[in-house]
Amino acid sequence: MMGGMAGLEGVEQPRPRGSATAARWTPAIEDEQAFKAVELYGNPTDEEVRLPSRPESAATARRLTHCVVLRQWQLSPQTAEHAVLLVSELVGNAVRHTGARVFGLRMLRRRGWIRIEVRDPSRGLPCLMPVHELDTSGRGLFLVDKLSDRWGVDLLPRGKTTWFEMRVSDRTAER
């Protein structure tokens, strides 16, 4: 009997990796990709970074967020994980629902808080929908609402900025 998933015969399955190898190599590769993204697009803490409105830009936005939150701001891994997930959701909404060619990503830090913004040229407002257990989509703003301390939308003369804020400790992450 072949070890595979039902209905996926003939489809190449991912190869299992040893956890020691994955743990040893993944952070270095992610850091390298994140630093390349900062070099290519800029640092979203210095000014708004403009990214093409394509699904693959979500990965770039996640890398930039991870690099800033974990490496530059030296916040906790859990804060970085939540920020990366929420950025992914906001970027996904901007890419899927606005019809824009580009979107902007900006990250701000002030005492006790971080704020991450995604700007797009649409003035259509996002809507927090009720989420049910079996829903396969529509959970993005639900996650933003649950994992951030505050979130909102600022209408601009041409477009909007959707943002979230998270409380953070002003101490650097323990080493």
Side-chain angles (χ1 to χ4, degrees):
M1 179 184 210
M2 291 189 69
M5 296 175 69
L8 294 178
E9 294 80 11
V11 176
E12 185 175 336
Q13 299 298 309
R15 293 184 184 102
R17 288 192 198 175
S19 60
T21 302
R24 185 172 52 231
W25 291 105
T26 303
I29 292 169
E30 283 298 316
D31 280 350
E32 183 179 327
Q33 290 174 337
F35 290 130
K36 283 182 183 178
V38 170
E39 283 179 23
L40 185 60
Y41 294 102
N43 187 331
T45 65
D46 294 336
E47 61 185 354
E48 180 181 273
V49 170
R50 293 171 53 91
L51 297 168
S53 189
R54 297 190 307 248
E56 54 271 20
S57 291
T60 302
R62 286 191 297 269
R63 287 184 188 110
L64 290 168
T65 302
H66 183 266
C67 187
V68 167
V69 175
L70 197 60
R71 303 293 180 225
Q72 183 177 335
W73 290 342
Q74 298 181 334
L75 297 173
S76 74
Q78 182 178 14
T79 299
E81 182 180 330
H82 288 175
V84 165
L85 173 62
L86 300 186
V87 160
S88 190
E89 296 300 338
L90 293 187
V91 167
N93 284 347
V95 169
R96 272 190 301 276
H97 302 298
T98 67
R101 289 193 317 227
V102 297
F103 65 89
L105 176 67
R106 180 91 165 110
M107 303 175 146
L108 306 161
R109 183 168 182 194
R110 66 180 194 271
R111 186 174 180 87
W113 292 88
I114 63 170
R115 179 181 173 114
I116 300 180
E117 304 173 344
V118 174
R119 186 183 58 80
D120 65 69
S122 169
R123 289 181 53 88
L125 296 175
C127 184
L128 178 61
M129 303 294 286
V131 175
H132 304 288
E133 187 177 338
L134 298 177
D135 289 347
T136 57
S137 65
R139 296 177 183 262
L141 285 180
F142 174 79
L143 290 172
V144 172
D145 188 58
K146 293 300 176 195
L147 295 177
S148 69
D149 290 294
R150 294 175 17 148
W151 72 276
V153 180
D154 297 331
L155 283 176
L156 306 170
R158 293 192 175 165
K160 69 178 173 298
T161 299
T162 307
W163 54 268
F164 67 87
E165 294 181 340
M166 298 170 67
R167 284 189 196 106
V168 296
S169 169
D170 284 324
R171 297 179 305 152
T172 57
E174 293 180 20
R175 303 210 186 273

